[in-house]
Amino acid sequence: MANFHLLVISIVLMGSLVAGNFNDLTEITWGDGRGKILDGGKVHTNVYSQGKGNKEQQFHLWFDPTAAFHTYTIVWNANRIVFLVDEIPIRVYNNHESIGIAYPKNQPMKIYCSLWNADEWATQGGRVKTDWTQAPFTASYKNIKIDGCVVISGASSCASRSTDSANNAKPWETHELDAKGRNRIRWLSLLALVLLSPVWADNFYQDTTVTFGDQRVQMQDGGRLLALSLDKISGSGFQSKNEYLFGRFDMQLKLVPGNSAGTVTTFYLSSQGAGHDEIDFEFLGNSSGQPYTVHTNVYSQGKGNKEQQFRLWFDPTSSFHTYSIVWNSQRIIFLVDNIPIRVFNNHEALGVAFPKNQAMRVYASLWNADDWATQGGRVKTDWSMAPFTASYRNFNTNACVWSAATSTSSCGGSKTESVNNDQTWQTQQLNANGRNRLRWVHQKYMIYNYCADANRFSQGFSPECKRSRF
Ligand SMILES: *[C@@H]1O[C@H](CO)[C@@H](O)[C@H](O)[C@H]1NC(C)=O
């Protein structure tokens, strides 16, 4: 093994440039047989307990970092440290020794990579442990590239360079952001701000509590990701700590993959007690290769019977998609990836109850319903596939928090007029584009509509069925 103390380094991990070889450049520090060097040393697969070593990460990525290899780079010279992702600078740490801030420049460093258990989250207030039934967890490294100054016996390989013209200062030694790099950093903060909204996405640790399933609820990534699992003994679920009276609620979900028959994954709003209100998204699993059913319903004062069901136009198990409920005093809109799939209007004038007087919590759960969920209950849950797992992330609420203690809304006003700050969701309705989208969904993907089930409602449809679906 090479002795590679580095004084100044630039490394590319998971890169595509001239790749170094893990056999030559690295040695396994711990984990015994769990660290494996494959493909002649080009792919390093390490197997660990679940964990996260990069405590400096303060950004959400603009891609799914588990779907493909991406390049993470550290440039370290005497003046600054630049962190890059796929060549895009995400952070610059300048040498500010002149104003008394220590800067790493006198000690050689090695490169370390690891994957480890993050049970310490539990001691920071988390209740959820690593789910060892999912072990082993695996992360892969490839194309390590090091362009640095190697220190051997106290001497740097870059020291003799002044006499060697072929070995003049390398780009990384003076690396700084040009205009493009500065724009990239600006772009990144804008992206994080506008599109990904990770900074104020609700945190599962802070904003939710486990309702059932104990360790089957796992919070990861510092509370930004939550996984629910279901086994033969129990499902699992969580709820928001807050109660809300109107708002927009977004959740990204990745549903149980493979044979999910008999499982139901939910994301819904509900009040408590008799005569409750509820707004439901339920995802009914299916046999491998068969489509999920998205089931929606609205309960007002204890009464439901407003089911509409849909297929999805994508595989909801292969990546995260966004499911949203917009709830204001005039209507409820269900959206999938921002495409409206259903509008439930307030038709109190026609005598149809509408949920608007009871505060609701956000709930999510994964449970077994093989007595009815899949193909009418004919297909049962295959427990040999357990545990089943669904993942939630980027839980976002833009809503009026209701305080039962003081009977006040964070939006001001009383229950009946909580629309007094100007947020889009409070008056949201479909525009022409939204109506077109909804028509498209209804035409191609709607598989059940309570307003069209004459057998079930032989006494006649509910009055709102005669009104516009927008
Ligand atoms: C499961 O797949 C079957 C066959 O494609 C389909 O009829 C059914 O609606 C799907 N969904 C559920 C929840 O049964």
Tab-separated table of all heavy atoms in Angstrom, residues 26 28 30 37 51 68 80 92 101 118 139 187 325 406:
chain	number	residue	atom	x	y	z
A	26	THR	N	-5.342	2.856	-1.602
A	26	THR	CA	-6.049	2.790	-0.326
A	26	THR	C	-5.763	1.498	0.418
A	26	THR	O	-5.298	0.515	-0.147
A	26	THR	CB	-7.587	2.865	-0.521
A	26	THR	OG1	-8.037	1.662	-1.146
A	26	THR	CG2	-7.979	4.045	-1.379
A	28	ILE	N	-7.837	-0.779	3.666
A	28	ILE	CA	-9.068	-0.856	4.424
A	28	ILE	C	-8.768	-0.617	5.897
A	28	ILE	O	-7.877	-1.242	6.466
A	28	ILE	CB	-9.772	-2.201	4.165
A	28	ILE	CG1	-10.278	-2.187	2.709
A	28	ILE	CG2	-10.910	-2.439	5.143
A	28	ILE	CD1	-10.791	-3.494	2.207
A	30	TRP	N	-11.084	-0.489	8.627
A	30	TRP	CA	-11.841	-1.283	9.580
A	30	TRP	C	-12.996	-1.926	8.873
A	30	TRP	O	-13.273	-1.630	7.727
A	30	TRP	CB	-12.324	-0.447	10.764
A	30	TRP	CG	-13.049	0.801	10.401
A	30	TRP	CD1	-12.498	1.982	10.002
A	30	TRP	CD2	-14.467	1.011	10.367
A	30	TRP	NE1	-13.478	2.901	9.725
A	30	TRP	CE2	-14.686	2.347	9.944
A	30	TRP	CE3	-15.575	0.206	10.670
A	30	TRP	CZ2	-15.967	2.892	9.814
A	30	TRP	CZ3	-16.847	0.763	10.540
A	30	TRP	CH2	-17.035	2.081	10.116
A	37	ILE	N	-12.890	-4.491	-2.495
A	37	ILE	CA	-12.406	-3.795	-3.676
A	37	ILE	C	-12.704	-4.667	-4.878
A	37	ILE	O	-12.250	-5.808	-4.962
A	37	ILE	CB	-10.904	-3.481	-3.547
A	37	ILE	CG1	-10.677	-2.553	-2.344
A	37	ILE	CG2	-10.392	-2.845	-4.829
A	37	ILE	CD1	-9.230	-2.243	-2.051
A	51	GLY	N	-25.251	4.649	8.006
A	51	GLY	CA	-24.666	5.799	8.658
A	51	GLY	C	-24.359	6.908	7.712
A	51	GLY	O	-24.602	6.821	6.528
A	68	ALA	N	-27.285	6.954	-9.237
A	68	ALA	CA	-26.119	6.865	-10.117
A	68	ALA	C	-24.913	7.440	-9.389
A	68	ALA	O	-25.058	8.091	-8.355
A	68	ALA	CB	-26.378	7.654	-11.401
A	80	ARG	N	-7.631	28.347	0.048
A	80	ARG	CA	-9.039	28.030	0.223
A	80	ARG	C	-9.311	26.544	0.048
A	80	ARG	O	-8.492	25.816	-0.515
A	80	ARG	CB	-9.918	28.840	-0.741
A	80	ARG	CG	-9.747	28.518	-2.207
A	80	ARG	CD	-10.454	29.534	-3.089
A	80	ARG	NE	-9.919	30.886	-2.860
A	80	ARG	CZ	-8.783	31.341	-3.406
A	80	ARG	NH1	-8.078	30.583	-4.217
A	80	ARG	NH2	-8.354	32.541	-3.132
A	92	VAL	N	-17.260	27.338	-0.452
A	92	VAL	CA	-15.876	27.795	-0.431
A	92	VAL	C	-15.533	28.149	1.011
A	92	VAL	O	-16.281	28.857	1.681
A	92	VAL	CB	-15.687	29.040	-1.321
A	92	VAL	CG1	-14.237	29.502	-1.279
A	92	VAL	CG2	-16.129	28.753	-2.741
A	101	ILE	N	-8.562	33.199	12.241
A	101	ILE	CA	-9.288	31.933	12.145
A	101	ILE	C	-8.345	30.849	11.636
A	101	ILE	O	-7.736	30.992	10.569
A	101	ILE	CB	-10.504	32.070	11.202
A	101	ILE	CG1	-11.463	33.126	11.760
A	101	ILE	CG2	-11.213	30.726	11.029
A	101	ILE	CD1	-12.501	33.589	10.776
A	118	ALA	N	-25.620	5.419	12.473
A	118	ALA	CA	-25.954	6.747	12.987
A	118	ALA	C	-26.943	6.660	14.143
A	118	ALA	O	-27.842	7.486	14.285
A	118	ALA	CB	-26.498	7.610	11.868
A	139	ALA	N	-22.810	1.367	0.224
A	139	ALA	CA	-22.542	2.550	-0.601
A	139	ALA	C	-21.337	2.222	-1.471
A	139	ALA	O	-20.464	1.457	-1.059
A	139	ALA	CB	-22.248	3.770	0.269
A	187	TRP	N	-26.711	30.041	-8.142
A	187	TRP	CA	-27.757	29.173	-8.691
A	187	TRP	C	-28.156	28.131	-7.670
A	187	TRP	O	-29.317	27.840	-7.451
A	187	TRP	CB	-27.227	28.503	-9.964
A	187	TRP	CG	-28.030	27.338	-10.439
A	187	TRP	CD1	-29.190	27.377	-11.155
A	187	TRP	CD2	-27.733	25.954	-10.240
A	187	TRP	NE1	-29.622	26.100	-11.403
A	187	TRP	CE2	-28.754	25.205	-10.855
A	187	TRP	CE3	-26.699	25.273	-9.596
A	187	TRP	CZ2	-28.768	23.817	-10.848
A	187	TRP	CZ3	-26.712	23.889	-9.589
A	187	TRP	CH2	-27.742	23.177	-10.211
A	325	ILE	N	-52.107	18.074	-0.721
A	325	ILE	CA	-53.502	18.411	-0.418
A	325	ILE	C	-53.561	19.913	-0.192
A	325	ILE	O	-52.839	20.441	0.656
A	325	ILE	CB	-53.993	17.675	0.852
A	325	ILE	CG1	-53.991	16.162	0.630
A	325	ILE	CG2	-55.386	18.176	1.238
A	325	ILE	CD1	-54.232	15.354	1.914
A	406	THR	N	-56.157	28.039	22.793
A	406	THR	CA	-56.605	29.430	22.744
A	406	THR	C	-57.660	29.668	21.671
A	406	THR	O	-58.116	30.798	21.495
A	406	THR	CB	-55.408	30.362	22.460
A	406	THR	OG1	-54.807	29.936	21.228
A	406	THR	CG2	-54.363	30.273	23.555
